[in-house]
Amino acid sequence: MAGFLNNSTALCLLLTISFGLCLVISTLAELQRFEHPVKGDGSLSFLVIGDWGRRGTYNQSEVALQMGRIGEKLDIDFVVSTGDNFYDDGLTGVDDPTFEESFTKIYTSNSLQKQWGDAEAQLNPVLRKIDSRWLCLRSFVVNAEIAEFFFVDTTPFVDMYFTNTKDHAYDWRGVSPQKNYIKDLLKDVELALKESTAKWKIVVGHHAIRSAGHHGDTQELVRQLLPILQANNVDLYVNGHDHCLEHISSIDSPIQFLTSGAGSKAWRGDVKGLNQDRINFFYDGQGFMSVQLAQNVAKIAFYDVFGKVLHRWNVSKQLYSAL
Ligand SMILES: *[C@@H]1O[C@H](CO)[C@@H](O)[C@H](O)[C@H]1NC(C)=O
Ligand SMILES: *[C@@H]1O[C@H](CO)[C@@H](O)[C@H](O)[C@H]1NC(C)=O
């Protein structure tokens, strides 16, 4: 069955309804921009979950419950989804009950009452009527003062998806020719990063740049996207795709690679080594991640299905680094 939507590419952002969203058409870059206010003290916190849509099975409901608990504790501002939202074939259309079964009825905690979206904008208004949390586009920027989020649709980078069309149907409308699309997208991302004055720069994609999990590194991203992120002082690259939790540190730049793709099916059992960079943490089971940002410190934590902290990490930035 062909996925109507290319949901494997969907990069989603959940924003609190109370703050609302404000669409700002940028005059410089092609990427759509959204503004999100921070808390009174200027801090920001959010959860990251990926690869989750299995109608509550494979511990999806357990993870959702703990996200609700931790979300409340950290007073989160929104939730970032790293994609692969509806297994196995995305949504067949706007009437597909999967949307409610895998999203609306699962992430029910108070602290998770946020907005969602989807990479294919044409369905976005209809799905938002079903669940107002939903908001998702292909690639976009969210400015939250202290941090700027650059959502990059990484699927068009992966050559295999253009050559091997047997296993999944991809909707490349508006994307092909691949080469031009990527060239323009990289230009937009680079410009948006260059212009950013945010303290923390966070790039979100579905595919890993570095991973010790099943899929390993995504070579196309290592070659094409990573140099731009490193040249523009990106702090975090956040992704899903591999159904695990991992934290890898670049050895030649400050960038941290964070995989949170353990929203449902996990325990794949095939952990690879890394060719490059340093692995700080790897967990093959289900769970999620939290990020807390303040002016001078970022704190990251990974949790399992019981809400137990598996790994913590923080980095401090000196005041002068903003100058
Ligand atoms: C659910 O989580 C528990 C605890 O990590 C694990 O033992 C179990 O295998 C998981 N179930 C599935 C279907 O992955
Ligand atoms: C960062 O983590 C270390 C331990 O890993 C801890 O000692 C330190 O207090 C933390 N810093 C902040 C600002 O949370």
Side-chain angles (χ1 to χ4, degrees):
M1 186 175 60
F4 181 86
L5 286 178
N6 187 12
N7 273 290
S8 62
T9 73
L11 296 172
C12 299
L13 176 76
L14 299 88
L15 299 166
T16 48
I17 294 162
S18 57
F19 288 133
L21 269 178
C22 163
L23 176 61
V24 179
I25 305 297
S26 166
T27 50
L28 290 163
E30 292 292 317
L31 298 176
Q32 277 195 326
R33 301 182 74 93
F34 298 86
E35 306 285 336
H36 191 282
V38 287
K39 294 187 184 75
D41 65 357
S43 70
L44 187 77
S45 59
F46 57 96
L47 302 180
V48 184
I49 180 78
D51 306 73
W52 43 264
R54 295 186 190 266
R55 299 185 170 89
T57 65
Y58 295 102
N59 285 334
Q60 188 195 352
S61 296
E62 284 76 358
V63 172
L65 188 75
Q66 295 304 326
M67 285 172 67
R69 201 174 63 82
I70 303 294
E72 193 170 327
K73 198 169 138 192
L74 302 184
D75 188 17
I76 55 164
D77 296 282
F78 49 80
V79 178
V80 169
S81 168
T82 56
D84 266 0
N85 305 326
F86 302 101
Y87 288 97
D88 283 318
D89 291 293
L91 298 176
T92 54
V94 293
D95 300 325
D96 192 333
T98 303
F99 179 67
E100 284 179 287
E101 288 165 11
S102 284
F103 177 63
T104 304
K105 292 178 182 166
I106 302 292
Y107 301 100
T108 53
S109 305
N110 276 345
S111 69
L112 303 179
Q113 299 310 307
K114 325 283 156 154
Q115 285 191 321
W116 282 75
D118 181 88
E120 276 279 344
Q122 81 250 30
L123 277 189
N124 187 37
V126 187
L127 292 178
R128 281 186 84 172
K129 271 186 199 149
I130 302 172
D131 192 315
S132 61
R133 290 180 282 179
W134 190 255
L135 174 93
C136 201
L137 309 162
R138 255 189 198 285
S139 297
F140 55 102
V141 179
V142 176
N143 183 294
E145 298 179 35
I146 187 174
E148 202 153 24
F149 296 78
F150 306 84
F151 286 76
V152 179
D153 178 14
T154 52
T155 301
F157 285 87
V158 182
D159 294 334
M160 191 180 73
Y161 298 148
F162 286 83
T163 52
N164 173 12
T165 49
K166 277 201 301 285
D167 302 336
H168 284 284
Y170 288 95
D171 182 354
W172 293 128
R173 272 175 298 174
V175 171
S176 69
Q178 182 197 14
K179 233 174 128 177
N180 296 0
Y181 181 85
I182 291 173
K183 201 174 116 220
D184 289 348
L185 178 56
L186 287 172
K187 219 165 66 192
D188 290 345
V189 170
E190 185 172 21
L191 185 61
L193 283 169
K194 273 210 173 87
E195 285 172 352
S196 175
T197 53
K199 185 89 183 189
W200 302 96
K201 295 182 194 179
I202 300 171
V203 177
V204 185
H206 175 60
H207 299 82
I209 294 178
R210 294 266 182 244
S211 174
H214 175 74
H215 295 98
D217 295 357
T218 305
Q219 291 307 333
E220 293 92 335
L221 296 178
V222 171
R223 274 198 313 273
Q224 299 174 85
L225 183 61
L226 181 57
I228 293 173
L229 308 192
Q230 289 184 315
N232 289 284
N233 305 314
V234 166
D235 300 283
L236 311 176
Y237 179 79
V238 179
N239 62 273
H241 196 46
D242 269 332
H243 298 172
C244 59
L245 302 173
E246 44 183 341
H247 172 205
I248 294 165
S249 296
S250 167
I251 51 170
D252 51 12
S253 70
I255 193 166
Q256 307 297 315
F257 303 102
L258 304 163
T259 298
S260 183
S264 57
K265 207 170 186 177
W267 301 112
R268 190 132 195 176
D270 57 346
V271 185
K272 295 182 179 123
L274 271 188
N275 296 328
Q276 223 173 308
D277 295 336
R278 188 177 64 245
I279 186 149
N280 300 314
F281 166 71
F282 183 95
Y283 180 66
D284 203 27
Q286 288 94 352
F288 60 101
M289 179 176 94
S290 70
V291 179
Q292 292 170 276
L293 301 172
Q295 276 304 325
N296 298 318
V297 63
K299 297 183 191 176
I300 283 148
F302 288 91
Y303 308 81
D304 68 9
V305 294
F306 308 109
K308 192 184 122 204
V309 175
L310 300 168
H311 173 68
R312 270 189 211 280
W313 178 86
N314 62 30
V315 65
S316 47
K317 264 194 197 189
Q318 301 308 315
L319 284 167
Y320 59 73
S321 69
L323 302 176

